[in-house]
Amino acid sequence: MFSWLKKIHEKIKDLNISVDQYKKETDNQVIPSLAYVNRAKKLIDKNEYLEARDVLLEALEINQKDSIVLKYLGIVEEKLGNFDEAISLYKKSSELNPQDKNIWYRLGMTQVTIKKYEDAELSFEKADKISQINTDIQTGWGMALFKQRKYEQAHEKFISAIKINRYNFSAMLLAAITEIRLGKYDDAENKLSFLNNANPNESCTYEYANLYYIKGDYDLAIKYALRSIEFNNNMLPSYLLLGKLYSIKFDYDNAVNCFQSAENRDLKSPILYVEWGNALVRLYKFDEARLIYQKALYMDVECSEAQAGMALCSAEMNDFERAKNLVELLEEKGFDNVFVVEAKGLLAFNQGDVNAAINLFKTVLKNTSGNTYDYLRLARCYLVSQNDNMIRDSYEKFIKLNSKYCPVYLEYAKYLVSKNDFKDAQRKLRKALTIENNNNEILNLLFYVSYVLVKENVSEYNVKEAISIANRTNNFEYSDYKADLDRILKEINENK
């Protein structure tokens, strides 16, 4: 009568044997590993990564093939900056549990961090096969594509991420940046405008500033670059952009202050000094620029951009041997940019090959916007070849684009005086005085030109104006001419 009870007891016994066998085969890992992982997660949340690593290593001693333990150990190594080790652990975890989308996602993001973009693209693709409606996976995948300059494909992923979650502001920002690369400025502006209202931060304000810079609205670009620094006063790209913008506006003081502010905040790097040097070149301060490029080379002796800037500045300062050596070094490295071409032009000019110099400067003007100083270099080339029409044409083009650069007016005026074009020389010198009203060299030459014109057309007004120029001038060079004007004015007054 108790046979049914005996059968149940035998089944329970069999079940116990099966459970014991299972525990033996799995090293009794299920409950302990979860406990270890939970402890580690709490430590990770408190940024106690070394302690979390110790806990997870203990769990790994129980079973070295636990995908969850391996995944979290990878997270810890990633947080500690040990990216190669993190990738190795993520790969092991993914082999054990290939259906865990989070492993593939973290693997992809870590690969992006160490610039293994093609590998990252494959990781995100695998993550997407597991979970096709995941905004983070789409965003990460877009990042991997963006870094490979596959902008159309990257844009598609970012837009997919936004469609999945319209509050994915990171994807929206990246989509806007991609649209700027693709020249879709209106689309980019719409997104950046929304972000600057909905979720303003240093990144979206910087990108807004950059967009306005590209569109040529420098005042708005400055406004948003300054706002970016208000959000984060260690935002180096914003300082670099501001310095560039102020140099384009020919505002020396503000440009230098931007770069000095970044330096004072210990944001020193080769790129800081390269952009600083570039701004000074834009302001035609070649002597100062050379000193700044030297700082970049102290930090990275192989910095090609700094070497190119140094080559140009050396050539401008007549240090042709150094310029030549740097140009040859850059050509050996296969590095070529506008400064190298300009330096080669100056070297050719110095060697007497004026036609080669003209061709090089024309090449820069044809292919690069903003390098207007080459008009002045062309004018000097045409002075040597005595091509009067092109001399005037080159000076006029330079002045039109650089109306606040005083030295060119003086240089142009000296040429006009040599051609006895005193009226135009006078106009140029008067313009120069509006920029530097106490420049003695300008005042002296303006007096001489005015004297010549007075002698051609004597009037009381013209005589008094010329005398007033002489009275403003220190180290006056034309005392005899002034005495002559004093005599003429006396005669005019006596004959009234």
Side-chain angles (χ1 to χ4, degrees):
M1 60 184 290
F2 296 104
S3 58
W4 61 273
L5 185 59
K6 182 177 180 182
K7 287 179 181 179
I8 291 173
H9 175 74
E10 287 175 353
K11 287 182 179 181
I12 292 172
K13 184 178 179 182
D14 291 339
L15 180 61
N16 288 339
I17 292 171
S18 299
V19 170
D20 290 339
Q21 184 65 32
Y22 172 79
K23 288 181 178 180
K24 186 183 294 184
E25 290 174 355
T26 59
D27 293 322
N28 197 25
Q29 58 92 22
V30 176
I31 295 175
S33 70
L34 288 176
Y36 280 114
V37 168
N38 287 333
R39 282 172 54 198
K41 286 167 69 175
K42 291 178 182 178
L43 292 167
I44 291 170
D45 290 340
K46 293 188 291 184
N47 300 326
E48 296 177 4
Y49 303 123
L50 293 175
E51 293 81 354
R53 177 204 270 167
D54 291 339
V55 170
L56 291 165
L57 287 174
E58 287 182 42
L60 211 58
E61 289 178 3
I62 299 172
N63 182 4
Q64 295 185 355
K65 293 185 177 182
D66 189 315
S67 67
I68 297 176
V69 174
L70 289 166
K71 177 171 71 173
Y72 278 95
L73 193 54
I75 292 171
V76 168
E77 296 295 349
E78 182 185 343
K79 296 290 186 182
L80 290 169
N82 302 323
F83 301 117
D84 289 333
E85 181 63 23
I87 285 173
S88 175
L89 289 161
Y90 288 143
K91 285 182 176 179
K92 290 178 182 177
S93 179
S94 66
E95 289 172 3
L96 293 166
N97 186 8
Q99 295 304 308
D100 186 340
K101 67 178 186 298
N102 292 323
I103 297 173
W104 292 111
Y105 171 74
R106 297 208 70 101
L107 175 58
M109 291 304 296
T110 310
Q111 287 165 332
V112 167
T113 300
I114 64 171
K115 301 180 180 181
K116 291 187 176 181
Y117 304 125
E118 292 182 2
D119 292 344
E121 185 181 344
L122 294 173
S123 297
F124 290 121
E125 187 176 356
K126 290 179 179 178
D128 182 63
K129 288 179 179 178
I130 301 166
S131 178
Q132 294 182 354
I133 307 177
N134 186 294
T135 190
D136 293 332
I137 291 170
Q138 295 296 316
T139 303
W141 198 351
M143 290 171 64
L145 292 163
F146 180 91
K147 291 294 185 178
Q148 297 176 73
R149 300 187 179 183
K150 298 177 181 179
Y151 297 130
E152 290 286 359
Q153 294 172 262
H155 185 253
E156 180 184 333
K157 300 303 177 188
F158 295 138
I159 296 301
S160 294
I162 297 167
K163 287 179 179 178
I164 295 167
N165 179 6
R166 62 195 179 103
Y167 296 108
N168 186 337
F169 296 135
S170 295
M172 188 172 294
L173 177 60
L174 289 165
I177 295 170
T178 308
E179 286 163 352
I180 292 172
R181 297 289 196 281
L182 293 169
K184 299 178 179 180
Y185 300 136
D186 291 342
D187 291 342
E189 184 166 2
N190 288 335
K191 291 179 178 62
L192 290 170
S193 177
F194 172 79
L195 288 170
N196 274 280
N197 288 315
N199 186 45
N201 56 42
E202 67 269 29
S203 297
C204 66
T205 47
Y206 165 75
E207 292 299 340
Y208 214 8
N210 186 52
L211 175 61
Y212 280 121
Y213 158 68
I214 292 169
K215 294 175 72 172
D217 191 335
Y218 299 139
D219 290 333
L220 276 176
I222 288 170
K223 173 185 173 180
Y224 283 100
L226 288 170
R227 187 175 295 179
S228 174
I229 291 172
E230 290 175 5
F231 282 111
N232 180 359
N233 55 20
N234 288 319
M235 187 71 174
L236 178 59
S238 296
Y239 288 106
L240 302 183
L241 180 58
L242 271 174
K244 180 188 291 186
L245 288 163
Y246 283 126
S247 69
I248 291 171
K249 291 171 71 70
F250 222 74
D251 186 340
Y252 172 85
D253 290 336
N254 274 322
V256 171
N257 285 340
C258 286
F259 294 115
Q260 285 180 338
S261 295
E263 186 179 50
N264 292 340
R265 298 202 67 80
D266 205 27
L267 301 175
K268 301 170 187 175
S269 66
I271 191 172
L272 168 64
Y273 294 117
V274 166
E275 289 298 329
W276 191 342
N278 292 349
L280 290 168
V281 167
R282 209 172 284 116
L283 292 159
Y284 315 135
K285 302 286 187 180
F286 300 107
D287 52 345
E288 294 179 42
R290 186 158 79 155
L291 295 175
I292 297 299
Y293 287 129
Q294 191 63 59
K295 288 187 176 184
L297 292 171
Y298 282 142
M299 300 185 78
D300 179 6
V301 71
E302 294 298 327
C303 179
S304 297
E305 291 80 3
Q307 290 171 339
M310 182 70 76
L312 175 60
C313 293
S314 297
E316 280 287 348
M317 297 175 68
N318 299 322
D319 187 352
F320 295 110
E321 184 176 355
R322 187 175 192 188
K324 182 174 180 291
N325 291 336
L326 284 166
V327 167
E328 289 175 350
L329 174 64
L330 289 162
E331 287 180 333
E332 286 176 9
K333 294 199 295 185
F335 181 85
D336 189 25
N337 74 357
V338 65
F339 288 172
V340 176
V341 178
E342 289 174 325
K344 287 165 72 174
L346 291 169
L347 288 169
F349 180 75
N350 177 64
Q351 293 162 3
D353 194 346
V354 177
N355 288 332
I358 288 172
N359 289 332
L360 287 163
F361 297 141
K362 281 185 173 180
T363 297
V364 173
L365 289 167
K366 180 181 178 181
N367 298 327
T368 310
S369 63
N371 287 66
T372 55
Y373 200 78
D374 288 301
Y375 285 118
L376 184 53
R377 295 183 178 118
L378 280 175
R380 292 165 180 168
C381 289
Y382 291 126
L383 278 167
V384 173
S385 63
Q386 299 182 346
N387 187 333
D388 287 334
N389 288 334
M390 293 308 299
I391 292 168
R392 291 174 183 264
D393 180 73
S394 298
Y395 275 129
E396 291 293 341
K397 284 178 177 175
F398 179 85
I399 286 171
K400 183 178 180 181
L401 298 165
N402 299 272
S403 60
K404 296 180 181 179
Y405 186 58
C406 187
V408 73
Y409 292 102
L410 181 59
E411 183 177 320
Y412 192 5
K414 287 178 179 178
Y415 163 73
L416 293 169
V417 168
S418 75
K419 295 297 176 180
N420 297 321
D421 189 348
F422 295 105
K423 287 186 177 180
D424 201 10
Q426 187 182 57
R427 285 192 289 269
K428 298 298 183 288
L429 291 166
R430 284 173 174 168
K431 177 63 178 178
L433 277 183
T434 64
I435 303 168
E436 295 183 17
N437 59 8
N438 292 315
N439 186 307
N440 283 305
E441 188 176 5
I442 295 170
L443 286 166
N444 269 296
L445 186 56
L446 180 57
F447 171 82
Y448 171 73
V449 168
S450 299
Y451 173 79
V452 172
L453 292 172
V454 165
K455 297 294 282 186
E456 293 177 356
N457 181 22
V458 176
S459 73
E460 183 179 3
Y461 176 83
N462 290 340
V463 172
K464 285 183 176 180
E465 184 182 37
I467 291 172
S468 71
I469 295 168
N471 291 336
R472 290 172 57 188
T473 309
N474 296 320
N475 301 317
F476 185 60
E477 300 172 3
Y478 299 98
S479 299
D480 291 344
Y481 293 160
K482 181 178 181 297
D484 188 28
L485 291 178
D486 288 335
R487 178 188 60 78
I488 292 171
L489 182 62
K490 183 178 179 182
E491 291 177 356
I492 291 173
N493 289 329
E494 288 175 349
N495 292 327
K496 284 184 177 180

